[in-house]
Amino acid sequence: MKSLLLSLAASFLLAGTVFSNASGGHEGMMEGAHSGMDHSAMMQQGAPAPAITEGGQAAFAAIQEIVATLFGNPGTDWTEVNIEALRQHLIDMDNVTLRAKVAAEDIPGGARFTVTSGDPGVQASIRAMTLAHAATMDGVEGWSLEAAETEDGAMLTATGDEIRIRALGFIGLMTVGMHHQEHHFALARGEMFH
């Protein structure tokens, strides 16, 4: 209970700081390039506009972040950029995360996950993601990952720290390692494909 109260207090303090900083920075913005805009329509009762950071949809926001990074890098080779490849990969991620069925089976030292779908598009996403993840992440955390295609998806066998593996389940294992951001950037630059 004490930690909950401390968390709430910290949240209120942070909100107050953000509110204070936002109201102080608004005048500077008004003097800049946005001074010709009617900000009164965006304000309610004199309160500052909130700092908007979300792109509205996770895949869109991920693409937006990559595009901004590409624009910010003067060395970007625009002849190699392939944002559509990134979009297709994010579709695969969405399919596997939200539309696949997962059956877990405990095995000595870990677990085996059978990941399936009746939808051919989701099946293709399952195969692409599962096989690539096993090949990339085998050995991370000292775990052995093996993947194989099945008729309606793929199977992932993970052995190592069986308690963690079983607790994470299939989708938890798919998130291990901060490789996704680098992979997304490489896809967008046309450097790799799934």
Side-chain angles (χ1 to χ4, degrees):
M1 183 68 176
K2 185 176 179 180
S3 63
L4 176 62
L5 291 174
L6 288 173
S7 293
L8 286 171
S11 296
F12 286 126
L13 286 173
L14 180 60
T17 302
V18 169
F19 180 83
S20 173
N21 289 341
S23 63
H26 184 69
E27 288 78 15
M29 182 179 79
M30 290 296 289
E31 293 172 7
H34 297 4
S35 61
M37 295 177 67
D38 178 10
H39 285 117
S40 62
M42 294 185 284
M43 308 295 281
Q44 288 187 353
Q45 302 172 1
I52 306 298
T53 59
E54 180 56 51
Q57 197 268 353
F60 184 91
I63 293 169
Q64 183 180 43
E65 182 180 47
I66 294 292
V67 168
T69 302
L70 292 169
F71 270 100
N73 180 359
T76 296
D77 181 354
W78 290 98
T79 64
E80 296 294 323
V81 169
N82 187 347
I83 299 300
E84 181 58 22
L86 174 58
R87 188 179 81 86
Q88 291 301 318
H89 174 68
L90 294 172
I91 290 169
D92 285 343
M93 290 180 76
D94 195 62
N95 281 339
V96 171
T97 302
L98 302 176
R99 293 174 189 84
K101 295 176 186 161
V102 179
E105 170 192 358
D106 290 349
I107 61 170
R112 178 171 296 119
F113 305 96
T114 304
V115 189
T116 62
S117 174
D119 180 325
V122 177
Q123 291 171 2
S125 294
I126 292 167
R127 291 182 187 114
M129 293 285 297
T130 306
L131 273 63
H133 187 74
T136 303
M137 301 308 290
D138 184 40
V140 171
E141 297 292 328
W143 302 341
S144 171
L145 299 178
E146 294 179 22
E149 290 188 17
T150 64
E151 184 178 330
D152 51 1
M155 184 179 297
L156 177 69
T157 304
T159 55
D161 182 342
E162 66 184 37
I163 294 171
R164 279 191 188 174
I165 289 169
R166 292 173 185 168
L168 289 169
F170 170 74
I171 200 63
L173 287 173
M174 294 295 286
T175 69
V176 172
M178 288 297 288
H179 65 286
H180 295 284
Q181 292 82 351
E182 288 180 23
H183 177 61
H184 294 171
F185 196 48
L187 277 169
R189 290 184 310 215
E191 294 176 2
M192 63 181 358
F193 296 94
H194 246 213

